[in-house]
Amino acid sequence: MTIDRIRKTIFLFAIATFFIVGGVACNSKTEESDEIVVTSANVAVKEFYLNANSKVLANLDSVFFSLDLDKGVIYNADSLPKGTDVTRLLATITFANTMTKADLIVRSSETLTDTTINYLTNSTDSIDFTYPVKLEVTAADGNTSFTYTIKVNVHNQLPDSIMWDKLGVSSLPSRLVNPVRQKTVSKNSNVYSLIEEHDATFTVSQSDDLNACAWDKEEISFPFAPEIDSFCLSGNTFWILSENGELFKSEDLKEWNSTSQNWENIIGGYMEGVLGIRDNGNTLVTTSYPESLGLPETPLKDNFPVKGFSPLAVIETDWYPLPAAFCAGGVSESGEILSSVWAFDGNVWETINETSLPELSDPMLAHYVIYRKTPNLFQYREFDAWLLFGGKLSDGEFNRTVYYSLDNGVIWNMAPSLMQLPEDFPTLYGADLIVADTDLTADLSDAWSSLSSRNPGPWLKPSYTLDGYDITWKCPYLYIFGGYGEDEILSDSIWRGVLARLSFTPLI
């Protein structure tokens, strides 16, 4: 699934410039006025940075701090790594003009009492930045004064960890308790879950807001016995096989029409149709429907998966007229569990993976992102990636390792330890993984709308909208539907996860 976000580079800038707005003699404002207080240049802070301390954090003195002179806030927009000790730091503060007073009001993280440090005479005293620190300054005239708030922000989560938690509504969107089977598919922001209830009836649930758990549920009927696991979507058409292999399609999930095709399995949606496997009477062949797709039928190659493969990933490019597609793992006609990745270029199927995955059946696959640290200071680069996890190994054990590919299935690597599944996450195979954007918001009332640096280099911004001081950005969450555990019973849960970094307020 395509994530509606612009590729970005996240990094901290070295402090370089400042902005001073003058024209008001003091920091008072008329009661019941909504005007922003404007700082006099006489009491402006010109520069703020933390002194180097490699025991705390490498290159600590290069962390960029914004100076909001309008609202009197000094802060680092991109938080320090989780766990950074900020209880005994030294800071360098430079003022635009001479000050007669510069007092730091510091709250101790141990005693929760306030201590005043005269910065003009004790600039080498350590400061506890666990809580916001007040900086009270008075200009050389002895009258003009102003109070700043200094915030040293530290992440509450490790940015490159995936956080998993159960949704508020912890069950599948079924009409009845104890559903038997389910298959969930998505297109754009719409998610469709087809569920077989315990009383042999069927439910279709649709949502365009997974974060709110808002579902429209409707009982539907089939003029045939459906194979729920074959349910898929391409374009505006839903496809499914009957238990005897007949291929049906529907535009509205209510009226189902036969295609007069009999298949062994559906591989996945492709363009406006589907790819599949059928028996031509002599051998198994890879096939497609409708015929207007103009795709060839070819004999099934050795060790091609006939079932248990990952969802089909479809990739469109500007340099090839037909989409490419690939799937990973699965079970061959002879019953062998596979470690291969098979790709389709619109004409033929071939194995493409140069590095081995484990022999794996019924895994989850989704388009997501992964971050890699660059040689540059505090700089990470975001890459489009495919995540693969879950499923069963050839020895019958469950796979709990998360793998990723940056080149559409050719080379696979084990994901960093922070992206691996936590111990309390269930072991599942045959689950469905959906990526859906959620609008997150933050208040930038103490932030500038721009950052500057001596040498920022090329960088890209995340996709966001700004309304005054309110910023909204799209955060891609991972949703896992159903799946089967060791008891072989359908899990009646939806799980949600997100790469923690994506949930942080973006730099603007």
Side-chain angles (χ1 to χ4, degrees):
M1 172 179 180
T2 302
I3 302 175
D4 185 22
R5 306 177 62 252
I6 300 176
R7 180 175 295 169
K8 63 182 179 180
T9 301
I10 295 182
F11 62 101
L12 297 174
F13 293 118
I15 188 165
T17 59
F18 64 94
F19 183 83
I20 298 176
V21 180
V24 178
C26 63
N27 66 332
S28 62
K29 71 175 182 179
T30 306
E31 291 185 5
E32 298 184 1
S33 171
D34 293 328
E35 292 183 7
I36 295 175
V37 176
V38 182
T39 309
S40 168
N42 293 333
V43 289
V45 172
K46 179 180 178 181
E47 187 178 44
F48 178 93
Y49 63 87
L50 300 175
N51 292 7
N53 188 338
S54 60
K55 294 182 179 179
V56 174
L57 183 69
N59 303 302
L60 183 64
D61 55 334
S62 294
V63 174
F64 176 77
F65 279 82
S66 296
L67 309 177
D68 186 340
L69 303 183
D70 288 348
K71 294 191 175 298
V73 180
I74 301 169
Y75 70 103
N76 55 316
D78 199 351
S79 301
L80 301 180
K82 179 184 179 182
T84 302
D85 185 0
V86 297
T87 58
R88 295 180 61 83
L89 302 181
L90 300 181
T92 295
I93 308 172
T94 304
F95 301 98
N97 295 287
T98 302
M99 298 292 172
T100 59
K101 172 187 174 183
D103 288 345
L104 294 166
I105 314 300
V106 181
R107 170 153 295 192
S108 169
S109 58
E110 296 178 355
T111 65
L112 299 182
T113 57
D114 292 341
T115 300
T116 300
I117 299 174
N118 183 337
Y119 183 79
L120 297 179
T121 60
N122 301 285
S123 61
T124 59
D125 284 6
S126 64
I127 306 168
D128 186 344
F129 284 104
T130 303
Y131 298 97
V133 172
K134 297 294 185 182
L135 172 60
E136 298 177 349
V137 295
T138 302
D141 61 14
N143 294 316
T144 307
S145 62
F146 194 76
T147 299
Y148 294 90
T149 299
I150 305 172
K151 301 177 181 179
V152 176
N153 296 316
V154 179
H155 282 309
N156 293 322
Q157 299 93 23
L158 294 168
D160 293 309
S161 63
I162 291 184
M163 303 178 299
W164 296 98
D165 61 342
K166 252 187 177 176
L167 288 172
V169 176
S170 61
S171 59
L172 291 172
S174 56
R175 297 175 8 260
L176 309 175
V177 296
N178 301 322
V180 177
R181 289 188 296 173
Q182 77 85 39
K183 184 69 175 179
T184 300
V185 298
S186 66
K187 179 185 179 183
N188 300 328
S189 61
N190 292 305
V191 178
Y192 304 87
S193 192
L194 175 60
I195 298 173
E196 180 180 350
E197 308 285 2
H198 72 263
D199 64 352
T201 60
F202 299 95
T203 300
V204 165
S205 298
Q206 187 271 332
S207 175
D208 58 7
D209 188 355
L210 288 181
N211 188 58
C213 295
W215 292 95
D216 293 325
K217 305 176 184 178
E218 184 177 0
E219 180 179 358
I220 64 170
S221 59
F222 291 92
F224 54 90
E227 183 59 59
I228 300 296
D229 292 340
S230 68
F231 179 61
C232 73
L233 170 64
S234 64
N236 296 314
T237 304
F238 299 92
W239 309 86
I240 199 168
L241 294 178
S242 69
E243 289 185 351
N244 64 8
E246 189 174 359
L247 178 64
F248 286 82
K249 66 176 183 177
S250 175
E251 305 296 328
D252 58 6
L253 292 169
K254 297 177 181 179
E255 181 179 349
W256 291 90
N257 299 305
S258 173
T259 64
S260 300
Q261 299 281 313
N262 276 81
W263 288 5
E264 299 297 311
N265 204 352
I266 291 176
I267 299 174
Y270 183 80
M271 296 196 291
E272 297 299 317
V274 282
L275 304 178
I277 301 169
R278 79 176 186 92
D279 188 340
N280 68 1
N282 298 313
T283 185
L284 294 180
V285 297
T286 56
T287 189
S288 62
Y289 184 87
E291 293 181 0
S292 59
L293 292 179
L295 304 179
E297 246 184 22
T298 57
L300 209 66
K301 296 185 176 182
D302 292 340
N303 291 324
F304 190 91
V306 296
K307 63 179 181 180
F309 38 79
S310 74
L312 187 67
V314 180
I315 308 149
E316 296 189 13
T317 65
D318 295 331
W319 56 85
Y320 194 73
L322 296 176
F326 73 89
C327 59
V331 182
S332 69
E333 187 179 5
S334 64
E336 179 185 359
I337 297 180
L338 306 172
S339 62
S340 53
V341 176
W342 284 85
F344 182 67
D345 67 356
N347 289 286
V348 296
W349 286 93
E350 294 289 351
T351 56
I352 61 169
N353 55 316
E354 295 179 359
T355 57
S356 295
L357 286 167
E359 296 169 343
L360 191 60
S361 65
D362 298 294
M364 292 172 274
L365 176 71
H367 189 206
Y368 206 56
V369 293
I370 192 169
Y371 286 85
R372 280 183 165 181
K373 195 175 187 302
T374 70
N376 296 325
L377 177 66
F378 287 114
Q379 189 172 0
Y380 286 80
R381 176 65 59 87
E382 178 187 291
F383 294 90
D384 287 336
W386 292 93
L387 297 186
L388 182 79
F389 59 96
K392 269 190 176 182
L393 301 169
S394 57
D395 60 4
E397 296 295 320
F398 287 79
N399 171 50
R400 294 188 58 82
T401 302
V402 179
Y403 299 89
Y404 75 93
S405 173
L406 302 179
D407 54 10
N408 298 323
V410 177
I411 296 175
W412 292 87
N413 292 289
M414 187 182 300
S417 59
L418 294 176
M419 294 185 69
Q420 299 298 326
L421 300 177
E423 291 183 2
D424 57 352
F425 192 83
T427 53
L428 297 169
Y429 76 92
D432 298 317
L433 178 56
I434 303 294
V435 179
D437 286 337
T438 294
D439 285 338
L440 298 185
T441 60
D443 180 13
L444 298 181
S445 59
D446 61 356
W448 280 9
S449 60
S450 62
L451 297 173
S452 57
S453 167
R454 284 192 297 265
N455 183 26
W459 67 300
L460 297 174
K461 299 178 181 178
S463 180
Y464 65 84
T465 57
L466 203 58
D467 181 11
Y469 285 118
D470 294 325
I471 185 172
T472 302
W473 72 99
K474 292 189 179 298
C475 180
Y477 278 84
L478 298 162
Y479 294 86
I480 293 179
F481 289 76
Y484 301 88
E486 295 177 353
D487 56 8
E488 300 294 333
I489 296 175
L490 178 68
S491 169
D492 188 22
S493 296
I494 305 173
W495 288 76
R496 180 180 68 173
V498 65
L499 190 65
R501 183 187 296 276
L502 302 176
S503 66
F504 299 157
T505 304
L507 292 175
I508 60 174

mmCIF file of all heavy atoms in Angstrom, residues 86-101:
data_model
loop_
_atom_site.group_PDB
_atom_site.id
_atom_site.type_symbol
_atom_site.label_atom_id
_atom_site.label_comp_id
_atom_site.label_asym_id
_atom_site.label_seq_id
_atom_site.Cartn_x
_atom_site.Cartn_y
_atom_site.Cartn_z
ATOM 1 N N VAL A 86 19.565 14.364 31.407
ATOM 2 C CA VAL A 86 19.608 15.826 31.293
ATOM 3 C C VAL A 86 19.650 16.487 32.672
ATOM 4 O O VAL A 86 19.336 17.669 32.813
ATOM 5 C CB VAL A 86 18.396 16.347 30.485
ATOM 6 C CG1 VAL A 86 18.432 15.826 29.063
ATOM 7 C CG2 VAL A 86 17.080 15.964 31.167
ATOM 8 N N THR A 87 20.058 15.742 33.677
ATOM 9 C CA THR A 87 20.002 16.271 35.046
ATOM 10 C C THR A 87 21.199 17.142 35.411
ATOM 11 O O THR A 87 21.119 17.934 36.356
ATOM 12 C CB THR A 87 19.909 15.117 36.061
ATOM 13 O OG1 THR A 87 21.042 14.244 35.900
ATOM 14 C CG2 THR A 87 18.624 14.330 35.851
ATOM 15 N N ARG A 88 22.331 17.003 34.695
ATOM 16 C CA ARG A 88 23.523 17.790 35.029
ATOM 17 C C ARG A 88 24.199 18.230 33.739
ATOM 18 O O ARG A 88 25.227 17.679 33.331
ATOM 19 C CB ARG A 88 24.498 16.975 35.894
ATOM 20 C CG ARG A 88 23.932 16.609 37.271
ATOM 21 C CD ARG A 88 24.946 15.798 38.076
ATOM 22 N NE ARG A 88 26.173 16.545 38.315
ATOM 23 C CZ ARG A 88 26.354 17.430 39.280
ATOM 24 N NH1 ARG A 88 25.347 17.696 40.116
ATOM 25 N NH2 ARG A 88 27.500 18.059 39.433
ATOM 26 N N LEU A 89 23.636 19.246 33.100
ATOM 27 C CA LEU A 89 24.169 19.753 31.843
ATOM 28 C C LEU A 89 24.650 21.187 32.003
ATOM 29 O O LEU A 89 24.131 21.935 32.840
ATOM 30 C CB LEU A 89 23.099 19.695 30.744
ATOM 31 C CG LEU A 89 22.496 18.327 30.427
ATOM 32 C CD1 LEU A 89 21.473 18.461 29.310
ATOM 33 C CD2 LEU A 89 23.577 17.322 30.054
ATOM 34 N N LEU A 90 25.632 21.520 31.194
ATOM 35 C CA LEU A 90 26.088 22.913 31.125
ATOM 36 C C LEU A 90 25.536 23.539 29.858
ATOM 37 O O LEU A 90 25.412 22.868 28.826
ATOM 38 C CB LEU A 90 27.619 22.976 31.115
ATOM 39 C CG LEU A 90 28.339 22.370 32.320
ATOM 40 C CD1 LEU A 90 29.852 22.538 32.164
ATOM 41 C CD2 LEU A 90 27.861 23.005 33.620
ATOM 42 N N ALA A 91 25.214 24.826 29.932
ATOM 43 C CA ALA A 91 24.635 25.517 28.777
ATOM 44 C C ALA A 91 25.391 26.813 28.523
ATOM 45 O O ALA A 91 25.868 27.471 29.458
ATOM 46 C CB ALA A 91 23.161 25.810 28.997
ATOM 47 N N THR A 92 25.490 27.173 27.254
ATOM 48 C CA THR A 92 26.054 28.464 26.863
ATOM 49 C C THR A 92 24.933 29.356 26.350
ATOM 50 O O THR A 92 24.200 28.970 25.431
ATOM 51 C CB THR A 92 27.124 28.297 25.774
ATOM 52 O OG1 THR A 92 28.233 27.571 26.321
ATOM 53 C CG2 THR A 92 27.606 29.654 25.275
ATOM 54 N N ILE A 93 24.781 30.510 26.976
ATOM 55 C CA ILE A 93 23.733 31.462 26.598
ATOM 56 C C ILE A 93 24.407 32.775 26.219
ATOM 57 O O ILE A 93 25.192 33.335 27.000
ATOM 58 C CB ILE A 93 22.736 31.707 27.742
ATOM 59 C CG1 ILE A 93 22.196 30.374 28.284
ATOM 60 C CG2 ILE A 93 21.586 32.588 27.269
ATOM 61 C CD1 ILE A 93 21.353 30.518 29.544
ATOM 62 N N THR A 94 24.110 33.266 25.032
ATOM 63 C CA THR A 94 24.662 34.531 24.564
ATOM 64 C C THR A 94 23.517 35.531 24.396
ATOM 65 O O THR A 94 22.469 35.181 23.834
ATOM 66 C CB THR A 94 25.394 34.349 23.223
ATOM 67 O OG1 THR A 94 26.394 33.340 23.368
ATOM 68 C CG2 THR A 94 26.055 35.645 22.786
ATOM 69 N N PHE A 95 23.721 36.724 24.875
ATOM 70 C CA PHE A 95 22.680 37.748 24.807
ATOM 71 C C PHE A 95 23.038 38.793 23.751
ATOM 72 O O PHE A 95 24.220 39.045 23.463
ATOM 73 C CB PHE A 95 22.505 38.421 26.166
ATOM 74 C CG PHE A 95 22.132 37.465 27.265
ATOM 75 C CD1 PHE A 95 23.105 36.962 28.117
ATOM 76 C CD2 PHE A 95 20.832 37.051 27.415
ATOM 77 C CE1 PHE A 95 22.774 36.072 29.121
ATOM 78 C CE2 PHE A 95 20.480 36.157 28.423
ATOM 79 C CZ PHE A 95 21.456 35.661 29.270
ATOM 80 N N ALA A 96 22.017 39.420 23.187
ATOM 81 C CA ALA A 96 22.232 40.433 22.157
ATOM 82 C C ALA A 96 22.851 41.702 22.744
ATOM 83 O O ALA A 96 23.581 42.425 22.060
ATOM 84 C CB ALA A 96 20.912 40.762 21.461
ATOM 85 N N ASN A 97 22.579 41.972 24.016
ATOM 86 C CA ASN A 97 23.101 43.171 24.673
ATOM 87 C C ASN A 97 23.512 42.828 26.104
ATOM 88 O O ASN A 97 23.260 41.710 26.586
ATOM 89 C CB ASN A 97 22.036 44.278 24.684
ATOM 90 C CG ASN A 97 21.683 44.755 23.287
ATOM 91 O OD1 ASN A 97 22.462 45.450 22.648
ATOM 92 N ND2 ASN A 97 20.514 44.349 22.798
ATOM 93 N N THR A 98 24.067 43.783 26.775
ATOM 94 C CA THR A 98 24.495 43.573 28.162
ATOM 95 C C THR A 98 23.286 43.401 29.076
ATOM 96 O O THR A 98 22.270 44.093 28.926
ATOM 97 C CB THR A 98 25.339 44.768 28.649
ATOM 98 O OG1 THR A 98 26.466 44.917 27.786
ATOM 99 C CG2 THR A 98 25.816 44.566 30.080
ATOM 100 N N MET A 99 23.401 42.433 30.012
ATOM 101 C CA MET A 99 22.329 42.192 30.979
ATOM 102 C C MET A 99 22.827 42.502 32.389
ATOM 103 O O MET A 99 23.993 42.238 32.731
ATOM 104 C CB MET A 99 21.891 40.724 30.920
ATOM 105 C CG MET A 99 21.333 40.296 29.583
ATOM 106 S SD MET A 99 19.750 41.078 29.221
ATOM 107 C CE MET A 99 19.525 40.541 27.517
ATOM 108 N N THR A 100 21.939 43.048 33.194
ATOM 109 C CA THR A 100 22.258 43.242 34.607
ATOM 110 C C THR A 100 21.788 42.058 35.434
ATOM 111 O O THR A 100 22.204 41.890 36.578
ATOM 112 C CB THR A 100 21.592 44.520 35.138
ATOM 113 O OG1 THR A 100 20.168 44.435 34.964
ATOM 114 C CG2 THR A 100 22.120 45.747 34.407
ATOM 115 N N LYS A 101 20.934 41.210 34.839
ATOM 116 C CA LYS A 101 20.430 40.046 35.559
ATOM 117 C C LYS A 101 20.129 38.940 34.550
ATOM 118 O O LYS A 101 19.576 39.192 33.484
ATOM 119 C CB LYS A 101 19.146 40.396 36.328
ATOM 120 C CG LYS A 101 18.448 39.198 36.962
ATOM 121 C CD LYS A 101 17.105 39.613 37.564
ATOM 122 C CE LYS A 101 16.337 38.398 38.059
ATOM 123 N NZ LYS A 101 14.994 38.756 38.596
#
